[in-house]
Amino acid sequence: DSLAYVIFTSGSTGRPKGVEVAHRGMASLARWHARAFEVAHGDRAAQTAGLSFDACGWELWPYLAAGASVHIVDEETRLSPTCLRDWIINSELTHCFLTTPLAEQIIMLDWPRDVALRVLLTGAERLRVWPPPALPFKLFNNYGVTECTVVSTSGVVERGESDATTPHVGRPVDNTEIYILDRHGNPSPVGVAGELHIGGCGLARGYARQAALTAERFVPNPFSREPGARLYRTGDWARYLPGGEIELTGTRDGRVKLRGHRVETGEVEAVLARQAAVSECVVIAGQDARGETRLVAYVVHAGGRLDVSELRDALRETLPEYMIPSAFVSLNELPLTPNGKVDRRALPAPDWRRLETREAPLAPRDERERRLADIWAEVLGLEEVGVRDNFFDLGGHSLLAVRLLARIEEAFGVRLPLASLFQGATVERQAALVARPRRARPTSSLVSMHAGGAGVPFFFAHPVGGTTLCYYALAKRLGGDRPVYGFQATEANETKASLEEVAAVYVEELIEARAEGPYLLGGWSAGGVIAFEMARQLQRRGRRVALVALIDTRSPLVAAETPGRADDDAAFLKRLAEEYALWRGKPLQLPLDALRGLDADAQLDYVLRRLQEAGLLPPGEEAADPARWRAIVNSHRKTARMVAGYVPRRVEGGLTLLRASESPRGRAAACVAGASAGGDATKRLVPADDALGWDEFTSSPVSVHFVPGDHFSMMTEPHVGVVAERLTACIKQTGVE
């Protein structure tokens, strides 16, 4: 129980914290290490970590206690992968620890088959590569934090490429307990991410002279009967794999908020590192000239010239647009700290005004393109924009898209629909639409969200907003070899008085696009109700509907009990604004009584002012143009009234409900039962309340799949990836290819 050492660590906050570690933690670590890696008195180990890095103790005591020798490398050799490899070979070392960036480089070098090295240990950062098949020694990936005596989990990384995104970090080491808990403190099921908590004899006493911080991070262990047992909250996210190994899904340093979406930079790094042209990389969140957060990728190229376009295309095969870096910076090498970790503070800031890392932009060729390029640059906060640059590649998103089209309408007197961005998100394409605006307003409601592929297409129906931009991330994930389309409201639909009439229009267009089934239909929120009615009408025509996927969609009977009905203008506006705020990740409460005391114009002015004060309007958006916002509110209200007045009738076959596991305000909406190492804890047939009222309108039980997130976050990263996985699995169960 005596104090072994105090080591100061700054972590991500930059404020030094003195971690007090007792002898029992180091003694347990040394004993486990000697057993796990078969350390004998004749072994020769490397000492590469700096004295200010707690891994230094891990490199010394296990070997000295076993009678092995420790060999200290000089600084110049340590920082050169080639020199370091040669030193390891010539010194006939049997064991070596290297930080992750160095290990990733050194395992890719050529090694003699008869090298004495048996074990290479790595850790400190997220490992993103697998050892090549011919590597003559074993690579062990380790995870630990200073507060838990260096190492808490360890596992061998199999040689050769894997289908997994990143290698796992193994299992708990001796005398260590690992708990992966959800935000309510309950154990997460196998495969579901949660915060990683560590218990056992490796826990530090706490932080020196910082009682409040100690109490915040070292919490009581509710799973232990031992008095005073504690857990350390790492702030890192992980999940258990079916085999019992632990996979890191994100770290507190790599988790950033990007336009309301939580993005794990480590996931972007892992995909980027797998590209043949990339030798090393790191991804961080930076702020552009307008103060908006964007992702920046720093890349050490494997040779030749950095082709940003090719890298972006490669990333799009796996990642959604939200996670594609806005800027790529080419470096000769990544800066490292004295401890061998990537020094993120030393990374050069990109030149957001010029974005020199992009291909040379194609300049506007006429006055129309020049004016549009200026508008794009203004909205995106860039110095210049090429006529063939993609809006989403430059950091554009749905909120900026609204502002972009509003600025185009002001400048040219032409109102382009949001669907026009699916027709081509470039200045060149928009210039053609501005010249011939009728082409921007197709008579068909059908828009292509993911073209190509030979699979049976999937069709989404729009929610109350009337647009399909909400499906952008899901379509990218779901696509692959399957075309994805969306039905988007058009001016022609404004004359329709009922949801049945709107669905009938979409059914006609669907049959025109694909004469015979089977059909795959779905919709999020109110879009699920439209998809349900489309399925009913298709069945009446004798067409086969293989799947109706309702994504967090309540039946109209259940929805009618929700406050904020469409026939109450003040309540509807309150609900619409608060849901918009929740979607942006900032809860907002509006007083209903105050709204009811105002006329319609004053109500909208009040709501816009509150949204602007809370920083919830797009950058640069002014609340002084209420006409456009009034049109948006009226469009939402019209569709909401159609849904409220809709009376569902029975369909044949089952329905699939993908339901959010949390409420938008952070309260658990459902408890997923049946979690076990071998079971599927995300699927079950459930009673009527969990089926959100849909069991009354189908001949078979409703199949409910719970997915992470709430009604809004489930459609954004990282949860939308799970939605796509569940949806893909449901499609496969229908037998439709």
Side-chain angles (χ1 to χ4, degrees), residues 93-94 98 135 147 167 170 173 211 214 389 435 478 508 546 562 613 645 672 682-683 708 711 713:
L93 301 184
T94 59
L98 296 175
L135 197 69
E147 289 83 351
V173 304
T214 298
D389 288 339
L478 187 64
E508 291 294 341
T562 303
E613 291 171 352
V672 182
T682 60
K683 181 187 176 189
H711 184 71
S713 66

Side-chain angles (χ1 to χ4, degrees), residues 37-54:
F37 304 119
E38 300 177 340
V39 180
H41 68 276
D43 284 331
R44 303 164 63 87
Q47 196 278 310
T48 63
L51 290 175
S52 62
F53 189 10
D54 64 346

Side-chain angles (χ1 to χ4, degrees), residues 572-582 588 590 607 611:
F572 180 78
L573 184 59
K574 167 183 165 67
R575 177 184 170 192
L576 188 64
E578 290 177 352
E579 288 187 348
Y580 170 79
L582 287 170
L588 179 70
L590 297 175
V607 168
L611 290 173

Side-chain angles (χ1 to χ4, degrees), residues 448-459 478-485:
S448 173
M449 294 188 288
H450 178 81
V456 174
F458 198 100
F459 296 88
L478 187 64
D481 194 43
R482 186 182 310 282
V484 181
Y485 297 90

Side-chain angles (χ1 to χ4, degrees), residues 12 126 183 193-196 217 233-238 249-258 261-267 283-285 293 295 344 717-718:
S12 59
R126 194 174 183 180
R183 65 184 61 192
E195 186 179 1
L196 195 152
R217 305 303 300 186
R233 296 178 55 230
T234 67
D236 295 335
W237 288 76
T249 60
T251 66
R252 57 174 175 263
D253 291 342
R255 190 166 57 245
V256 299
K257 276 279 191 173
L258 192 65
H261 312 302
R262 194 174 74 184
V263 174
E264 299 289 352
T265 57
E267 184 176 354
V283 176
I284 67 170
T293 301
L295 292 182
R344 285 170 167 78
E717 296 298 336

Side-chain angles (χ1 to χ4, degrees), residues 548-629:
V548 182
L550 311 176
I551 306 177
D552 214 42
T553 300
R554 295 167 293 180
S555 77
L557 299 184
V558 173
E561 302 172 1
T562 303
R565 297 177 3 163
D567 56 359
D568 184 333
D569 288 346
F572 180 78
L573 184 59
K574 167 183 165 67
R575 177 184 170 192
L576 188 64
E578 290 177 352
E579 288 187 348
Y580 170 79
L582 287 170
W583 176 61
R584 295 294 310 278
K586 294 182 180 180
L588 179 70
Q589 291 290 330
L590 297 175
L592 182 58
D593 291 341
L595 282 173
R596 283 187 170 144
L598 305 173
D599 60 31
D601 289 341
Q603 285 178 358
L604 184 58
D605 290 341
Y606 175 79
V607 168
L608 289 176
R609 187 171 64 255
R610 288 291 304 275
L611 290 173
Q612 193 171 40
E613 291 171 352
L616 290 166
L617 294 181
E621 184 68 59
E622 298 295 336
D625 180 20
R628 179 164 54 85
W629 290 96

Side-chain angles (χ1 to χ4, degrees), residues 26 63 101 127 142 165 171 234 337 501 637 684:
M26 182 54 70
Y63 300 105
L127 184 64
N142 303 272
T165 304
R171 298 167 179 264
T234 67
T337 67
E501 292 178 352
R637 182 184 288 112
R684 57 179 172 148

Side-chain angles (χ1 to χ4, degrees), residues 701-721:
V702 177
S703 179
V704 179
H705 299 252
F706 288 92
V707 296
D710 58 45
H711 184 71
F712 304 100
S713 66
M714 69 184 296
M715 295 297 288
T716 64
E717 296 298 336
H719 303 319
V720 72

